């Protein structure tokens, strides 16, 4: 199964087409910054920036990897170009930006309820498409896509709570899926414990120094702490979420001590 690489170019393509693809890659790379900034601002309860790049309706370009699919007839046709790992990752970020904009909008409650239902269904569709991929070359991309899926579901269950459940469907989106929540929390806890082990074994060693080179990881860890506590507020029996948040605190303290102005 093909996993579209950023460096995969058709050598027969002319210079103009290469420039177009480079421009598209710049746009999709900028999207990751916009999605990350949105998450940080929501976690800190700060107003969103009115960025052109943060409005999903402004996107009208090919997904990452689509040009590769078009130029390679030998690619497995069972997978759509819009369901490559890179495209699915981009779709989750656009969906996340849409969630934050609708939540802050003045739309009527019925419209927000309908949006929550359709967004939840879209996360299921994207998750199922991700499960079809068995490639090892894009694990980081697939991980990030799944992270946004979990973030979106947490956000819908908390931020849109006053507009749900939806009577027409009988589905209560305000309820936490304990299985998926525990799966996400277990992974976050493993990451936190691994980072703690690095700091405790040798805070001046190479792994710790590599960690120090990532100052913006502070905000990601802070956001994960916030999301863990949101899960706990939605389901007070989910006490493991509090343990995960506590296990993340030493990493945040270490990074904020090293990067006080990050």
């Amino acid at each position: 199964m093909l996993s579209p690489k950023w460096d995969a170019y058709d050598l027969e393509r002319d210079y103009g087409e290469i420039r177009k693809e480079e421009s598209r890659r710049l746009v999709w790379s900028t999207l990751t910054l916009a999605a990350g900034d949105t998450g940080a601002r929501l976690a800190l309860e700060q107003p969103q920036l009115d960025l052109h790049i943060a409005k999903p309706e402004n996107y009208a370009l090919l997904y990452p990897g689509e040009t590769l699919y078009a130029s390679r007839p030998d690619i497995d046709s069972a997978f759509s170009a819009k369901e490559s790992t890179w495209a699915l990752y981009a779709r989750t970020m656009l969906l996340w930006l849409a969630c934050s904009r609708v939540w802050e909008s003045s739309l009527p409650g019925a419209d927000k309820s309908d949006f929550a239902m359709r967004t939840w269904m879209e996360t299921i569709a994207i998750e199922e498409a991700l499960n079809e991929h068995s490639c090892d070359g894009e694990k980081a991309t697939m991980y990030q896509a799944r992270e946004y899926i979990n973030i979106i579901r947490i956000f819908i269950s908390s931020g849109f709570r006053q507009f749900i459940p939806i009577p027409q469907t009988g589905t209560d989106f305000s309820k936490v899926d304990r299985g998926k929540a525990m799966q996400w929390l277990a992974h976050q806890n493993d990451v936190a414990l691994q980072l703690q082990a690095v700091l405790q074994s040798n805070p001046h060693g190479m792994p710790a120094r590599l960690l120090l080179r990532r100052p913006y990881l502070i905000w990601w860890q802070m956001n994960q702490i916030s999301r863990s506590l949101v899960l706990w507020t939605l389901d007070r029996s989910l006490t493991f979420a509090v343990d995960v948040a506590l296990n993340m605190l030493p990493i945040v303290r270490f990074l904020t001590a090293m990067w006080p102005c990050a």
Side-chain angles (χ1 to χ4, degrees), residues 158-206:
S158 56
F160 288 82
R161 197 166 192 170
Q162 64 268 40
F163 308 115
I164 47 183
I166 303 171
Q168 295 91 330
T169 64
T171 303
D172 188 353
F173 296 107
S174 66
K175 300 294 185 183
V176 176
D177 185 324
R178 286 187 64 89
K180 292 185 183 298
M182 287 298 296
Q183 184 180 19
W184 181 80
L185 287 168
H187 179 75
Q188 300 305 321
N189 195 53
D190 287 343
V191 171
L193 293 178
Q194 288 173 20
L195 292 175
Q196 278 194 49
V198 167
L199 297 178
Q200 291 171 1
S201 62
N202 187 0
H204 303 292
M206 181 57 70

Side-chain angles (χ1 to χ4, degrees), residues 43-113:
L44 296 172
E45 298 183 353
Q46 293 181 353
Q48 296 297 319
L49 296 177
D50 187 24
L51 300 175
H52 185 86
I53 199 75
K55 300 175 182 178
E57 64 270 22
N58 291 331
Y59 285 78
L61 73 166
L62 296 175
Y63 279 114
E66 275 202 83
T67 53
L68 180 60
Y69 271 68
S71 63
R72 293 280 302 278
D74 58 311
I75 294 174
D76 188 353
S77 59
F79 293 96
S80 163
K82 290 180 173 55
E83 293 183 347
S84 70
T85 53
W86 279 105
L88 292 170
Y89 178 35
R91 285 168 60 184
T92 59
M93 289 189 289
L94 289 172
L95 194 61
W96 167 238
L97 291 175
C99 281
S100 64
R101 285 177 58 76
V102 170
W103 182 68
E104 290 191 339
S105 72
S106 57
L107 285 174
D111 290 341
K112 289 188 176 181
S113 173

Side-chain angles (χ1 to χ4, degrees), residues 204-225:
H204 303 292
M206 181 57 70
R209 279 185 281 172
L210 290 175
L211 182 62
L212 277 175
R213 295 176 185 175
R214 300 182 178 184
Y216 293 110
L217 187 62
I218 299 171
W219 298 107
W220 181 260
Q221 290 294 325
M222 286 181 174
N223 290 343
Q224 300 300 66
I225 290 174

Side-chain angles (χ1 to χ4, degrees), residues 132-184:
E132 293 295 320
H133 290 271
S134 57
C135 47
D136 293 329
E138 297 294 347
K139 284 185 176 180
T141 305
M142 295 175 71
Y143 166 75
Q144 290 293 340
R146 294 184 190 279
E147 278 290 288
Y148 274 111
I149 288 174
N150 286 314
I151 291 168
I152 290 167
R153 287 172 174 167
I154 293 171
F155 188 65
I156 289 175
S157 296
S158 56
F160 288 82
R161 197 166 192 170
Q162 64 268 40
F163 308 115
I164 47 183
I166 303 171
Q168 295 91 330
T169 64
T171 303
D172 188 353
F173 296 107
S174 66
K175 300 294 185 183
V176 176
D177 185 324
R178 286 187 64 89
K180 292 185 183 298
M182 287 298 296
Q183 184 180 19
W184 181 80

